[in-house]
């Protein structure tokens, strides 16, 4: 038997027991970093949900700083550069795994794009994510955790929410004939179209897929869809009975009707549709020229109330 420095004998098996004990102690210590009151705690989330009375649930980073969408990002492409990028810095993390996503969020909704200079930016439901850093005394400073003062800025910046059913996109309209279009809503029940270059602001679903109205429709009356839905693949109903919109829109102007047993969302009485040839692709607006410009206008805030049946 060997003798320890304090003269006490120690059998080799005793030393082995001490090593095992130290290992267990370390494991318990490390584990305790994730425990409180005996309950396992997940790691710190890199993206989570916060809740504000007037906005509902919205995305934040791990410190509680709000994340935003830009309406000009009509596809998974960053449209904010130069001075814009100083006010709206990008959000990116390398730790987007299911382990680091907060409750109520799905990892499949997140993505990543590469912007100018090889910089990475995260997306949510196809839309790039940003912080808000307004100028204060000539210096851009990140908005404090828990604040949402970027909501509605310029009518094109909105908090990123998990449950939008209507979003706004501002982009060039391009028909299925590859021609560019602009529209005017002044004094007409539905937009009038002309060929031209310029960005228009219109409604999409949560993933940026364009929504349309049918010019012959009447107030809360779908005049297009057949009872057997045989023409539904061309202009599918926007089937939705939950209304969650950006704060710049009046929620009360949206509604829901029943069309041959299916729920269809409306705006100012206009039933809302997708266009089949858009192929549920973010930013596609092929329907504006099919079968001719103005027959199926994009749904937009400036619509007049649909005419009575």
């Amino acid at each position: 038997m060997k003798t320890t420095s304090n003269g006490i004998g120690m059998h080799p098996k005793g030393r082995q027991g001490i090593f095992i004990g130290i290992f267990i102690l370390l494991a318990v210590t490390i584990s305790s970093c994730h425990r409180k009151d005996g309950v396992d705690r997940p790691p710190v989330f890199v993206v989570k949900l916060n809740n504000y009375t007037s906005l509902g649930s919205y995305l934040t980073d791990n410190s509680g700083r709000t994340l935003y969408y830009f309406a000009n990002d009509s596809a998974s492409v960053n449209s904010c550069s130069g001075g814009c990028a100083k006010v709206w810095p990008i959000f990116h993390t390398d730790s987007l795994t299911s382990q680091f996503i907060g409750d109520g969020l799905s990892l499949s909704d997140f993505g990543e794009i590469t912007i100018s200079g090889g910089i990475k930016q995260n997306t949510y439901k196809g839309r790039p994510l940003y912080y808000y850093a307004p100028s204060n005394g000539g210096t851009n400073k990140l908005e404090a955790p828990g604040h949402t003062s970027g909501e509605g800025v310029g009518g094109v910046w909105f908090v990123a929410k998990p449950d939008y059913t209507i979003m706004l996109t501002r982009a060039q309209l391009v028909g299925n004939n590859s021609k560019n279009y602009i529209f005017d809503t002044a004094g007409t029940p539905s937009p009038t179209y002309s060929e031209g270059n310029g960005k228009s602001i219109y409604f999409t679903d949560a993933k940026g897929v364009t929504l349309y109205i049918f010019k012959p429709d009447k107030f809360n009356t779908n005049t297009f869809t057949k009872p057997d839905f045989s023409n539904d693949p061309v202009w599918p109903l926007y089937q939705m009975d939950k209304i969650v919109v950006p704060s710049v829109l009046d929620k009360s102007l949206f509604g829901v009707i029943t069309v041959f047993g299916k729920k269809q969302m409306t705006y100012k009485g206009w039933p809302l549709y997708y266009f089949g040839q858009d192929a549920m692709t973010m930013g596609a607006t092929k329907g504006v020229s099919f079968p001719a410009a103005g027959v199926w206008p994009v749904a937009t805030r400036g619509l007049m109330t649909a005419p009575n049946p």
Side-chain angles (χ1 to χ4, degrees):
M1 179 182 293
K2 295 184 179 180
T3 304
T4 62
S5 58
N6 62 2
I8 300 176
M10 176 65 70
H11 191 279
K13 290 186 177 180
R15 292 198 301 274
Q16 182 180 12
I18 289 177
F19 292 145
I20 293 174
I22 292 173
F23 175 81
I24 293 173
L25 179 61
L26 286 171
V28 171
T29 302
I30 293 171
S31 176
S32 68
C33 293
H34 300 291
R35 291 175 177 268
K36 184 178 180 181
D37 300 327
V39 179
D40 284 335
R41 302 294 179 189
V44 175
F45 295 131
V46 295
V47 183
K48 58 185 179 180
L49 291 177
N50 201 350
N51 194 282
Y52 188 69
T53 303
S54 62
L55 295 175
S57 295
Y58 61 92
L59 275 65
T60 76
D61 70 0
N62 61 347
S63 67
R65 283 194 167 92
T66 303
L67 300 177
Y68 292 89
Y69 287 151
F70 186 27
N72 284 21
D73 293 341
S74 58
S76 293
V77 177
N78 179 313
S79 302
C80 177
S81 59
C84 174
K86 293 181 180 179
V87 182
W88 301 95
I90 66 165
F91 168 75
H92 181 260
T93 176
D94 289 320
S95 301
L96 273 178
T97 64
S98 57
Q99 187 179 17
F100 295 99
I101 300 297
D103 292 342
L105 296 172
S106 173
L107 183 62
S108 62
D109 287 327
F110 291 89
E112 183 181 85
I113 59 174
T114 302
I115 63 177
S116 178
I119 299 171
K120 303 292 186 180
Q121 181 176 13
N122 290 122
T123 62
Y124 181 67
K125 295 187 176 180
R127 297 179 183 273
L129 293 171
Y130 303 82
Y131 290 110
Y132 183 38
S135 178
N136 186 356
T139 301
N140 293 95
K141 185 177 180 180
L142 282 177
E143 181 181 45
H147 288 213
T148 57
S149 55
E151 168 67 13
V153 169
V156 291
W157 289 96
F158 309 104
V159 296
K161 289 174 58 64
D163 57 351
Y164 280 124
T165 54
I166 292 289
M167 265 302 297
L168 288 164
T169 293
R170 181 176 178 267
Q172 174 71 60
L173 302 175
V174 182
N176 72 330
N177 56 6
S178 299
K179 293 182 179 180
N180 290 351
Y181 289 90
I182 55 176
F183 67 77
D184 184 9
T185 58
T188 59
S190 63
T192 56
Y193 282 78
S194 60
E195 291 183 29
N197 298 320
K199 292 185 176 182
S200 301
I201 193 160
Y202 56 92
F203 295 166
T204 72
D205 69 4
K207 295 189 175 182
V209 181
T210 305
L211 298 173
Y212 301 84
I213 66 167
F214 183 39
K215 196 168 183 178
D217 278 350
K218 306 300 180 183
F219 188 84
N220 284 346
T221 305
N222 176 325
T223 65
F224 174 79
T225 304
K226 294 181 179 180
D228 63 357
F229 296 99
S230 58
N231 57 354
D232 196 56
V234 183
W235 292 99
L237 309 178
Y238 179 39
Q239 294 186 63
M240 180 58 63
D241 58 4
K242 184 180 179 182
I243 301 170
V244 182
V245 304
S247 62
V248 298
L249 297 177
D250 184 347
K251 181 178 178 179
S252 69
L253 297 177
F254 293 85
V256 178
I257 60 174
T258 301
V259 180
F260 304 119
K262 295 184 178 182
K263 301 295 184 181
Q264 183 177 20
M265 186 180 284
T266 66
Y267 176 67
K268 292 185 177 179
W270 292 100
L272 301 179
Y273 304 80
Y274 291 117
F275 181 45
Q277 290 186 34
D278 283 344
M280 300 301 286
T281 300
M282 184 179 185
T285 58
K286 294 181 178 181
V288 297
S289 66
F290 185 88
V295 178
W296 288 88
V298 290
T300 183
R301 185 179 183 180
L303 289 173
M304 295 180 66
T305 301
N308 290 321

